[in-house]
Amino acid sequence: LSIRRQRQMCIRDSIEAPYLNLNKEDIIESHRDLPLELTLTCMAPNRSMHCGLCNKCEERKGAFAQSGVIDKTRYADMKEQV
């Protein structure tokens, strides 16, 4: 493609990032009715479960606590599951 055509395409197309200015707590709060326990954010999953120990699991636990939404996520490091 010519440079002119590439510029035209860039002007016409845009990238949207609706969650860019939201933190994890805001996203959890605004999506509390979805089955968030089915999402996987863990860096070291154990049998398809969150490990509960990596920094991403810690961020997740903290975000649920800050949002006031019950965390139904199954963590491999927990003996009792919610």
Side-chain angles (χ1 to χ4, degrees):
L1 292 174
S2 69
I3 292 175
R4 181 178 176 169
R5 180 67 180 131
Q6 289 176 11
R7 287 185 182 148
Q8 289 172 340
M9 290 173 62
C10 288
I11 292 170
R12 183 186 51 158
D13 295 336
S14 66
I15 297 172
E16 295 184 26
Y19 302 114
L20 182 65
N21 295 315
L22 297 177
N23 58 39
K24 288 178 177 52
E25 297 86 17
D26 294 333
I27 294 170
I28 289 171
E29 172 62 32
S30 65
H31 293 85
R32 69 182 322 138
D33 295 330
L34 297 177
L36 299 175
E37 67 274 12
L38 300 180
T39 62
L40 183 66
T41 56
C42 181
M43 293 177 63
N46 184 345
R47 296 183 313 265
S48 299
M49 288 190 295
H50 287 79
C51 74
L53 303 172
C54 70
N55 69 324
K56 294 301 176 187
C57 283
E58 291 300 323
E59 288 176 9
R60 182 185 182 98
K61 290 176 185 180
F64 270 97
Q66 288 290 321
S67 70
V69 175
I70 295 171
D71 185 2
K72 298 177 185 176
T73 305
R74 294 179 59 212
Y75 294 97
D77 73 326
M78 298 176 68
K79 291 181 181 174
E80 293 183 30
Q81 302 297 324
V82 175

